[in-house]
Amino acid sequence: MKKIVLFFSLLLMFAFTPPNGPETPISIDIHAASFSDFCKLVYEKTQVKIFYKDADVQKIAVSLSVNAMPLVDVVKMAIAGTELKVSVWNNQLVILNSESLVTDFPELIPEGSVHESKETSNYMEVRRADSRTVIKVGKQDRSKRNQLVNLKCKVLEAENDLPIIGATLYVTETQTGAISDIDGVVNFAIRAGKYNITIAFLGLETKKCQLIAYDNGSFEVSLRKASIDIGEVNVFADKQSSIVTRDPGMERITAKSVRELPTMIGERDILKISESLPGIVSVGEGASGVNVRGGNSDQNAFYLNGIPIYNTSHLFGFFPAINAEIVKDFSIFKGFIPLQYGGRLSSVFNVSTKPGNNKQFYAKGGITPITANLILETPIIKDKASLQLSMRSSFSDWVLKKIKAGAYSDSKSQFYDGSFAVNFDAGKTQNALFVYRSSDRFKYSTLTDYQYATTGVSFISKYSITDNIHNRISLIGSSYGFETSEMSNASTAFTHNYAINSLELKDDVSHFISENLQLEYGANIVFNAINRGKVK
């Protein structure tokens, strides 16, 4: 009897339905609203009713910003990420759990005939190129309305899974955004609910996703390379240019820019590119080093994954001491130097290496008339841990032997450098071990012997103390040794060697207090042991 009464009630109600229907275009802009409030707003705009069970929608918070979109598509966006399905019944909408409302008899198909499945057609349609990816973070049963959740998004290149530095993430509903750091990570805080986000980076395809944030968590987004055609570009200067959005005196050179550098006998010098930047000039012809804003070359600090590098060149400045093939990011602070670098005199050159390939084995090598190099990368635990090994050495003695003048044919000039890196990503914790060794020697016949070497080890651990406090601990040890021998005159011949050893412990903390407030603080302690050696 109840079913009969319900049937006639629905029949009488639908008989007076206004002309608006599920395909009526609707514009709506709401944030973290309950599903019942969403349905009331829809009815006020279109006079279309939405039938549902309260138990099925009580945990749904609707955040949408659409313009002139068919109503049925708007409702589908509102329930995306759940098992609910929407069906059309007499110009009204019915929402059921895990099933659609049956409105037609099944199609009769003659036996033996070929028939294209409607399900297959629908499957292909919802995966068309312009459809948005749905990303769920956290568990739905832990979600609370208006709860502030802390999210971490890692932005990667689709081709090689390398982190993208400087990618932008924009949340449409809150009109807020953030930029990925040196590890390609974007940390941000929003209220629990559904949002439309846009992730973009110059030269890569922009990706638009629907984010369903239930609780604290993390997710990854991969961007593919894009080909962009542009027309005429006009650049206008502004006398009142704002410097709020960037660090004054800070320059960043990406790995892509390094790969585009011209080569010197097959080797790219990442330090030479700094000479094209304002305020940086070369020390002079035939010498290595740079002067920054009037400072001396010995007032510049060079770091490789936190390891101090006191001599940045091989073979009298013709080759860099850092292999450009393993560089991920190269930052130069030539004006305002951040406090975490300890207040250097003139400038700081900070070089970070890329992590090894944790997907598959990778090898790259090259040989020139003077040098040879090899890079090996392999996963230890797929998608989590990787190992990287780089080696480079010279065999330039044959060049000196071709010189017939003086004692050059009896001289030696050689160098080598190598690195060993292990990276482990356990989700909330990332650990990186990096070992570096560089050595140079030049011997001019039996008259002069000149050699120096750098050895360094760094261990960096990043983890989350809480969902909004992220910590980075660095333990760094280095040793730089130098030795010279002068034997041109027996009565004044001498040998002199010295060494600089250092050990550093550093702690950096990023504290997200609210959506608009972030604090960065930390501490470090450095122990330097300087051995001036002996003159014999």
Side-chain angles (χ1 to χ4, degrees), residues 496-516:
H496 180 210
N497 66 314
Y498 68 82
I500 302 175
N501 301 312
S502 66
L503 185 64
E504 180 178 4
L505 178 62
K506 190 175 183 181
D507 188 17
D508 297 298
V509 182
S510 295
H511 190 173
F512 293 85
I513 297 178
S514 66
E515 298 180 35
N516 301 316

Side-chain angles (χ1 to χ4, degrees), residues 258-309:
V258 172
R259 289 194 295 267
E260 294 174 352
L261 288 175
T263 61
M264 167 66 179
I265 321 181
E267 294 286 340
R268 292 181 174 88
D269 190 345
I270 64 171
L271 299 181
K272 290 293 183 184
I273 194 175
S274 64
E275 298 176 12
S276 63
L277 300 174
I280 303 178
V281 296
S282 173
V283 173
E285 296 296 333
S288 62
V290 293
N291 294 334
V292 180
R293 296 193 185 278
N296 295 327
S297 60
D298 60 349
Q299 295 174 340
N300 305 317
F302 292 86
Y303 294 99
L304 176 62
N305 284 358
I307 300 172
I309 306 296

Side-chain angles (χ1 to χ4, degrees), residues 315 369-370 394-414 442-446:
L315 202 63
I370 296 179
S394 67
F395 47 90
S396 54
D397 291 349
W398 68 272
V399 177
L400 297 175
K401 293 185 183 299
K402 295 294 182 181
I403 303 175
K404 302 302 182 182
Y408 290 105
S409 58
D410 295 330
S411 302
K412 292 182 178 295
S413 177
Q414 57 189 21
F442 176 75
K443 184 178 181 181
Y444 179 59
S445 186
T446 59

Side-chain angles (χ1 to χ4, degrees), residues 76-201:
K76 288 179 179 179
M77 291 179 63
I79 62 175
T82 68
E83 296 182 354
L84 301 179
K85 293 187 178 181
V86 60
S87 304
V88 178
W89 174 261
N90 286 354
N91 282 337
Q92 308 296 320
L93 298 177
V94 179
I95 295 178
L96 299 176
N97 192 357
S98 303
E99 60 181 345
S100 301
L101 187 68
V102 179
T103 57
D104 296 312
F105 290 107
E107 183 180 356
L108 298 178
I109 306 173
E111 185 178 356
S113 64
V114 179
H115 178 70
E116 181 182 357
S117 172
K118 289 185 177 181
E119 293 183 1
T120 304
S121 175
N122 291 336
Y123 178 85
M124 298 299 292
E125 183 179 357
V126 299
R127 284 160 176 79
R128 60 186 183 271
D130 59 348
S131 63
R132 295 194 176 190
T133 303
V134 178
I135 301 173
K136 299 185 203 176
V137 181
K139 295 183 179 180
Q140 187 174 0
D141 55 0
R142 296 182 180 178
S143 179
K144 297 179 182 179
R145 183 176 298 180
N146 293 327
Q147 175 189 4
L148 185 66
V149 297
N150 295 281
L151 304 178
K152 180 173 74 172
C153 172
K154 191 168 186 179
V155 188
L156 306 171
E157 289 188 39
E159 286 75 11
N160 49 28
D161 283 334
L162 290 178
I164 300 175
I165 304 170
T168 59
L169 185 149
Y170 178 75
V171 184
T172 304
E173 287 74 14
T174 62
Q175 296 184 354
T176 58
I179 299 176
S180 62
D181 59 17
I182 192 173
D183 299 307
V185 174
V186 181
N187 291 290
F188 63 105
I190 56 176
R191 301 288 175 182
K194 296 181 182 179
Y195 300 89
N196 295 293
I197 61 173
T198 302
I199 301 98
F201 186 76

